[in-house]
Amino acid sequence: MAVSKSSLEDYWTEFHEIESNKDPDEEEEEEELPKTPDGEQEARWLKEVGLDAVVNRIKDGHGLTDDEMEAVTATLTSSQAAVVKRRVDTLSTTMRKRQKQNKTDVRDIFPTQETVNGGLYGSPGSFHRLSGGSIGEGQTTSDQVILRQGSKAKDRSFIKRGVYSMSGRKTDEAVSPDQTGIEMLSVHPKRSYHHPVAERLSGGGLPPISDHEDIMFELKTEESSRYIKDLGYQSGPKQKVGDNLPNFTLVKDKLGVTQMSDLGSSDMSQIRSLALLELTSLFDNHNITYRHRKAKKRVKDHGLFGVPLHTLLENDRKIEPRVTVPIIFHDIICFLESHCLDMEGILRVPGSTGRIKQLRGELEERFYSGAISWAEVMPNDAAGLLKQFLRELPVPLLTYEYIEAFAQVEGIKEKKLQLQALCLLILLLPPVHRNTLQMLLRFLQRVVNKCPENKMSLANVSMIMAPNLFLVSSGRSKFKGIQEREITMAAGTSNIVRMLIKYLDILWTVPTFLVQQMRRQNEISQQRKGRDKSKIKFLAKKDKSDLYKKPAIVQEGDFEEGVIRVHAPNLTKSSTAIRLDNCMTAGQIVDRFRNTDEALKPVNGRENKKKTLMQQGVYSDPDKVSFAEEHTYLYETGGNLGERCLDHQTNMMALYKVNPNAEWVIKTSYHR
């Protein structure tokens, strides 16, 4: 459906405001990354998903055998495996072509019959053929390939058809006519992914990996309305505000809802690799491509504006170690939430250019000394300062690497799949960018919720913030009038911001499937070490076996099935054994460490109480009692993941069956 310029009035008003206030001396020159040599984009992508050793092996001139390829993809879904295989095959073909250009192969002068037929390097007489194009979704690995003449070393370097280029199109350009590929004789249907290595090595209570279309989110659709009542449109006459996005509710998992802040840094690194795999598969299936960009812009290492977020955070943590977003950004948001939510036209009505410039200078000079009086700041000036802060980030909030990918999500038609793509992209953002974006969107939600007072609907807020987040190009002012392409971009980016605001709580949830897949990877990694190390020794990484060992048995009772020992090193009640039942939740376990314990009742006076409690080993020092408070949670540590803060509704028996080797620790978390 065509989008008119008039329907995006707020967008263009903000657009021209940005253009008119631009400082020509600080204008940003944005350009695409320089063209990379053939194969380098595939190599970079493989490294980003954790397959550095595979890239090194291919660049050293060694192709991957089918057994090795099977080991690489053992813990992936069929669609994820297909994504990896396409890039491995393209990189292998590119490297071999490059090597042939650098040296003459004796087989090119005196070709053997096996070579003419597509024989493998160092494996005469064997060959593969590919029927019907590339390895696609729903197809599995080479255990289903018929091997001609009994070869065991099934090298993947000679695949012909279906070679993948990073432009998103399949190409045969890098393959010479005499090379043949693999003949796929059977495939598994879409849905469950049956992989022989995964089946042999998987254990515990983890369900099989699935390729179901709802793999990322389990969502139920609530009754949708053109007038979004939960965003403040229920009062007054109905208006056609264009905010009629469907209402989704996240179906809660019995293993607990995992927020992005719940996982440790090592786990999030692993989840990020899986998210990139899943996003690439989703984009491939919809023929979507995006560019990585960079900007020629001087990067400051001090001050407040025009400084990278990670630099600001690093400096701020010297003052307050627990902060997760820059303090200046936090303070601007707090001021706006405290004083400006009810103001009509907040974000839309521009502040005074002179006052904003003066305020900015004062902040740069005296912010950290605490000499700034926010009470004297005008609301619209603070809103203008917030937008300036976002626009002048040398690395934008959505990052140059993924900013175009966010915009391209509009190319996916189904709303649920758009949500999946946005969630995956948010997982890929650096932590400080992800946390800052979350704080911004939470503020924008609160603005929208006050729509009856401030007249700022979800559509209004989204159109105003879109050009500030998606960086209007400095070259735009050279064109006269508004082009059709720009109208499409304005509508698309505004809609993405609209979804980010409305579905904030869903988008900051780690899909259960990815957590499940991470657990399986860790379990199989540990089990592989005791099986055939030589087969995949090129994949060897630093030994992390201590992380996943079963905790030492402290008391004999802990060894009983269904009994866990919960540790609370920072509380007076330092540990206790708990027998689980099918209904017990993580929150109920935390409650046992709150100030309701029967053990605190006097027992024949203080001395007898102290003696009794010391004998029971319950309290380390009854004179200094410390209990679980509001921000206290149960943590799952070790076993088949690193560390996870548990949702209070987590079913502990179900989780215990999935990760029986975990330790359980009571700790404080301020990020939930």
Side-chain angles (χ1 to χ4, degrees):
M1 184 177 68
V3 180
S4 66
K5 178 178 181 291
S6 59
S7 66
L8 296 165
E9 182 178 352
D10 284 334
Y11 181 98
W12 298 117
T13 300
E14 184 70 15
F15 171 86
H16 292 302
E17 178 71 18
I18 293 171
E19 288 289 304
S20 63
N21 289 329
K22 232 170 214 177
D23 185 346
D25 295 332
E26 297 184 3
E27 195 159 287
E28 179 179 330
E29 297 179 26
E30 187 180 307
E31 63 175 24
E32 294 181 36
L33 288 171
K35 185 176 180 180
T36 56
D38 290 341
E40 287 306 309
Q41 292 185 64
E42 286 78 13
R44 181 175 62 187
W45 183 89
L46 288 166
K47 289 181 178 180
E48 287 179 354
V49 299
L51 297 177
D52 306 59
V54 172
V55 174
N56 295 336
R57 184 177 175 86
I58 293 173
K59 287 190 173 183
D60 288 342
H62 305 293
L64 268 66
T65 66
D66 284 330
D67 285 342
E68 291 169 341
M69 194 71 229
E70 181 179 302
V72 169
T73 59
T75 59
L76 306 182
T77 65
S78 57
S79 57
Q80 292 172 353
V83 166
V84 171
K85 290 172 187 175
R86 285 199 291 268
R87 283 155 178 78
V88 166
D89 293 340
T90 301
L91 181 60
S92 298
T93 303
T94 302
M95 290 298 103
R96 184 171 181 273
K97 181 180 179 182
R98 188 179 300 173
Q99 291 163 6
K100 287 181 67 175
Q101 291 173 344
N102 293 338
K103 65 179 180 179
T104 302
D105 194 315
V106 68
R107 293 176 304 163
D108 296 332
I109 303 174
F110 304 104
T112 63
Q113 184 64 34
E114 291 79 4
T115 304
V116 173
N117 289 336
L120 299 182
Y121 205 102
S123 179
S126 60
F127 65 94
H128 310 284
R129 292 199 306 273
L130 179 68
S131 63
S134 65
I135 302 171
E137 185 172 356
Q139 297 180 345
T140 57
T141 53
S142 53
D143 59 288
Q144 298 173 321
V145 178
I146 286 187
L147 180 62
R148 308 291 179 175
Q149 300 184 18
S151 170
K152 293 184 180 180
K154 299 174 282 184
D155 197 311
R156 299 186 53 82
S157 302
F158 287 73
I159 290 180
K160 177 184 176 183
R161 301 179 185 85
V163 174
Y164 185 85
S165 72
M166 293 301 283
S167 66
R169 296 183 295 273
K170 294 171 185 174
T171 178
D172 295 331
E173 295 176 357
V175 186
S176 59
D178 65 329
Q179 295 170 354
T180 57
I182 293 179
E183 181 177 358
M184 274 292 179
L185 301 179
S186 67
V187 300
H188 286 307
K190 188 177 178 182
R191 287 184 176 276
S192 294
Y193 175 48
H194 303 287
H195 194 290
V197 173
E199 289 174 354
R200 288 196 304 268
L201 297 180
S202 63
L206 292 175
I209 297 174
S210 168
D211 275 336
H212 191 272
E213 61 181 356
D214 290 335
I215 200 168
M216 298 302 300
F217 288 119
E218 289 190 43
L219 300 170
K220 60 181 179 182
T221 308
E222 299 176 346
E223 184 178 352
S224 182
S225 170
R226 174 177 296 175
Y227 315 99
I228 304 300
K229 295 181 179 181
D230 60 329
L231 289 180
Y233 302 114
Q234 71 275 31
S235 60
K238 291 185 177 181
Q239 307 173 52
K240 192 172 181 179
V241 293
D243 292 346
N244 55 332
L245 289 171
N247 293 330
F248 292 114
T249 299
L250 193 66
V251 177
K252 293 188 176 181
D253 188 271
K254 62 183 178 180
L255 299 183
V257 174
T258 304
Q259 303 294 330
M260 293 183 186
S261 59
D262 290 343
L263 294 174
S265 57
S266 61
D267 292 325
M268 280 301 292
S269 177
Q270 194 170 349
I271 289 288
R272 184 185 185 279
S273 296
L274 293 172
L276 182 55
L277 273 167
E278 196 66 37
L279 179 72
T280 306
S281 173
L282 181 59
F283 273 21
D284 280 5
N285 290 339
H286 290 81
N287 298 314
I288 293 174
T289 60
Y290 63 91
R291 299 167 297 170
H292 293 178
R293 299 181 178 183
K294 71 174 184 178
K296 291 181 178 178
K297 189 170 183 178
R298 292 192 301 270
V299 176
K300 296 161 57 179
D301 59 1
H302 62 280
L304 299 175
F305 292 81
V307 180
L309 288 175
H310 70 87
T311 303
L312 287 170
L313 186 64
E314 185 178 310
N315 294 336
D316 289 347
R317 281 182 170 169
K318 297 173 183 176
I319 303 169
E320 177 49 65
R322 290 195 308 190
V323 296
T324 58
V325 300
I327 296 175
I328 178 61
F329 184 82
H330 172 272
D331 283 8
I332 295 174
I333 291 289
C334 286
F335 172 78
L336 288 168
E337 289 184 343
S338 300
H339 299 87
C340 312
L341 293 181
D342 295 335
M343 176 165 289
E344 184 172 341
I346 190 64
L347 297 177
R348 180 173 57 219
V349 178
S352 163
T353 303
R355 289 198 306 265
I356 292 175
K357 186 174 182 179
Q358 180 181 355
L359 174 60
R360 176 171 168 163
E362 292 175 357
L363 287 170
E364 290 280 14
E365 290 179 11
R366 303 195 298 272
F367 175 71
Y368 288 108
S369 67
I372 298 296
S373 175
W374 287 100
E376 300 174 3
V377 176
M378 300 295 291
N380 291 329
D381 295 345
L385 195 68
L386 172 68
K387 292 185 284 186
Q388 269 192 23
F389 178 88
L390 294 172
R391 290 197 304 269
E392 295 183 15
L393 288 172
V395 177
L397 193 56
L398 302 181
T399 73
Y400 278 115
E401 190 170 11
Y402 295 113
I403 191 169
E404 188 169 312
F406 273 93
Q408 294 285 54
V409 170
E410 269 289 283
I412 302 172
K413 300 305 179 186
E414 187 179 343
K415 196 62 65 178
K416 280 188 180 181
L417 294 180
Q418 288 182 345
L419 282 179
Q420 292 179 12
L422 288 175
C423 175
L424 295 168
L425 282 164
I426 290 165
L427 281 166
L428 292 171
L429 293 177
V432 63
H433 286 253
R434 183 168 59 241
N435 295 333
T436 304
L437 177 62
Q438 184 181 30
M439 179 173 284
L440 173 67
L441 295 176
R442 186 70 68 193
F443 160 67
L444 297 178
Q445 264 191 352
R446 289 166 181 152
V447 171
V448 172
N449 288 336
K450 289 284 188 177
C451 179
E453 292 83 14
N454 59 35
K455 312 302 180 188
M456 296 295 296
S457 70
L458 178 59
N460 298 142
V461 171
S462 301
M463 283 187 279
I464 289 168
M465 293 308 299
N468 291 284
L469 288 175
F470 284 90
L471 300 180
V472 177
S473 172
S474 59
R476 166 62 190 85
S477 57
K478 299 175 185 177
F479 297 98
K480 294 182 179 180
I482 303 299
Q483 309 297 315
E484 182 179 351
R485 180 182 63 83
E486 293 173 303
I487 294 176
T488 302
M489 181 197 72
T493 55
S494 296
N495 191 49
I496 294 301
V497 176
R498 199 161 59 113
M499 292 180 66
L500 288 171
I501 296 171
K502 179 170 177 64
Y503 301 121
L504 169 62
D505 293 325
I506 292 175
L507 293 174
W508 257 259
T509 301
V510 182
T512 300
F513 164 73
L514 292 185
V515 179
Q516 169 195 325
Q517 193 172 10
M518 177 178 66
R519 291 182 189 276
R520 186 176 295 276
Q521 284 186 339
N522 291 335
E523 287 185 356
I524 292 178
S525 176
Q526 292 305 304
Q527 293 176 40
R528 270 189 184 148
K529 292 179 180 180
R531 295 182 181 267
D532 188 3
K533 293 184 179 180
S534 60
K535 181 183 293 187
I536 56 168
K537 64 181 181 180
F538 69 97
L539 290 173
K541 296 181 179 179
K542 184 179 178 182
D543 182 30
K544 297 182 180 178
S545 57
D546 288 340
L547 181 64
Y548 304 110
K549 283 182 179 177
K550 189 176 181 70
I553 302 300
V554 179
Q555 298 187 24
E556 192 62 32
D558 299 350
F559 197 63
E560 296 178 29
E561 185 71 18
V563 175
I564 64 172
R565 176 158 289 276
V566 180
H567 301 275
N570 297 320
L571 302 180
T572 304
K573 185 177 180 179
S574 58
S575 68
T576 187
I578 296 176
R579 182 175 295 278
L580 302 176
D581 59 46
N582 291 329
C583 298
M584 185 173 291
T585 65
Q588 290 172 341
I589 290 178
V590 174
D591 287 342
R592 298 195 180 194
F593 291 81
R594 299 191 189 279
N595 190 10
T596 57
D597 201 311
E598 291 296 319
L600 287 178
K601 293 181 180 180
V603 182
N604 299 325
R606 180 176 179 280
E607 290 301 319
N608 289 337
K609 170 189 168 186
K610 180 176 179 179
K611 181 178 180 181
T612 302
L613 296 178
M614 291 297 288
Q615 288 174 346
Q616 293 175 351
V618 175
Y619 297 112
S620 55
D621 187 350
D623 293 325
K624 298 179 181 178
V625 182
S626 178
F627 297 100
E629 297 180 351
E630 179 184 358
H631 298 289
T632 305
Y633 293 89
L634 181 63
Y635 279 73
E636 170 193 8
T637 63
N640 51 34
L641 53 65
E643 181 177 86
R644 181 170 78 112
C645 178
L646 299 182
D647 171 13
H648 284 327
Q649 301 303 314
T650 303
N651 183 293
M652 289 304 299
M653 180 61 82
L655 182 57
Y656 170 76
K657 291 178 179 178
V658 167
N659 193 7
N661 293 335
E663 288 186 304
W664 312 96
V665 183
I666 299 286
K667 293 197 298 185
T668 299
S669 173
Y670 295 99
H671 305 309
R672 241 195 176 276

